[in-house]
Amino acid sequence: MISEPELEGEWDTGRPATPAEEPDAPRERVRGPRTAWLWALGGAVLASAVWAGALVAQDRFGDPAPRIAYRHVEDLCKVPLTAVSASTVKLTGDYARHNEHPALDWAYCEYGAPYADGRLSYGAEVSVQLHKKADPGTEFGADPAGLMGLGRMASSGGEVEQVPGLGERALLTRRVGGSRLEVLDGGAVFSLTVEWYGGQDAPDPDEDAVQAAMLEDMRALMAALRK
């Protein structure tokens, strides 16, 4: 696990981190129509719990535990989405959750920015799962609906393509109103989702630039968490 001093040296965002243990802490930003891209954190947590239970059951058969090449971090909101912010708007992480389990450790953060009329609203979420009892590669990519990246992304369809040169396997999903990047590597599954919403007068985003920024931020995240 990364200690707080280590994190502060690498990921100082200039703002106090939101404690993961205070789910009712007041939010600092104001958003636009949340129904357009509301993040379903409950579904993400439920998915992690199901994973953990299934992997404990698998462990009874005596399969060797996989080698985990990455560290668990309690407050994933300490990770700044530097490249994505540069290609969209300044995104701030302020909704962190995490859990440690004998079968699965996971961490999650939601990012957002103040809402402004006539301008695109952006949001993002990052999750990291460390699978300690079974190889996640057998299930990787088997979730076309995007359970860990819910909201409009889960119901709007999209194109999925392989991303070469990133981890053991990487998938980029392009959907209306957003993109999702998933990476399998070293017993870990990383996910970065970026969504946008705007009215009729809002400009279209530069989707290629956003997706290139997602790849850059994903590489930085993986490098920071690697043991």
Side-chain angles (χ1 to χ4, degrees):
M1 180 188 302
I2 295 180
S3 65
E4 288 300 317
E6 290 176 297
L7 284 173
E8 292 173 0
E10 292 291 331
W11 297 331
D12 182 11
T13 60
R15 59 182 294 276
T18 300
E21 297 77 18
E22 299 180 5
D24 297 326
R27 309 298 291 275
E28 297 181 359
R29 66 177 186 272
V30 178
R31 289 185 174 169
R34 277 184 70 87
T35 54
W37 48 277
L38 177 66
W39 303 112
L41 174 62
V45 174
L46 176 60
S48 297
V50 171
W51 256 108
L55 296 181
V56 167
Q58 291 182 25
D59 189 48
R60 296 174 184 170
F61 293 95
D63 292 336
R67 184 186 69 85
I68 306 298
Y70 294 90
R71 307 173 191 272
H72 175 66
V73 56
E74 294 184 358
D75 188 356
L76 200 56
C77 288
K78 289 180 178 290
V79 181
L81 295 181
T82 305
V84 170
S85 291
S87 67
T88 57
V89 296
K90 176 64 176 178
L91 295 173
T92 302
D94 66 355
Y95 193 68
R97 291 293 183 272
H98 82 100
N99 190 48
E100 297 179 61
H101 187 278
L104 174 71
D105 293 346
W106 61 264
Y108 168 94
C109 181
E110 178 185 336
Y111 299 75
Y115 173 76
D117 290 333
R119 194 179 72 181
L120 280 174
S121 292
Y122 288 90
E125 63 177 3
V126 174
S127 69
V128 180
Q129 300 177 354
L130 306 181
H131 295 258
K132 300 187 289 187
K133 295 295 184 180
D135 181 4
T138 57
E139 300 292 335
F140 183 77
D143 179 23
L147 184 58
M148 291 298 291
L150 296 173
R152 285 196 307 152
M153 291 281 289
S155 59
S156 59
E159 302 176 356
V160 181
E161 67 179 61
Q162 299 276 350
V163 179
L166 184 59
E168 298 169 18
R169 283 187 66 198
L171 301 174
L172 177 64
T173 303
R174 294 183 173 91
R175 293 188 172 105
V176 175
S179 297
R180 180 178 181 225
L181 176 63
E182 300 168 275
V183 180
L184 168 71
D185 192 59
V189 176
F190 299 83
S191 177
L192 167 57
T193 303
V194 178
E195 289 189 329
W196 47 84
Y197 173 81
Q200 293 182 345
D201 297 331
D204 293 331
D206 186 341
E207 296 188 31
D208 290 339
V210 173
Q211 289 154 6
M214 291 171 67
L215 292 172
E216 183 177 340
D217 280 338
M218 179 62 78
R219 290 189 175 94
L221 170 63
M222 294 172 67
L225 295 187
R226 195 166 187 90
K227 291 181 180 179

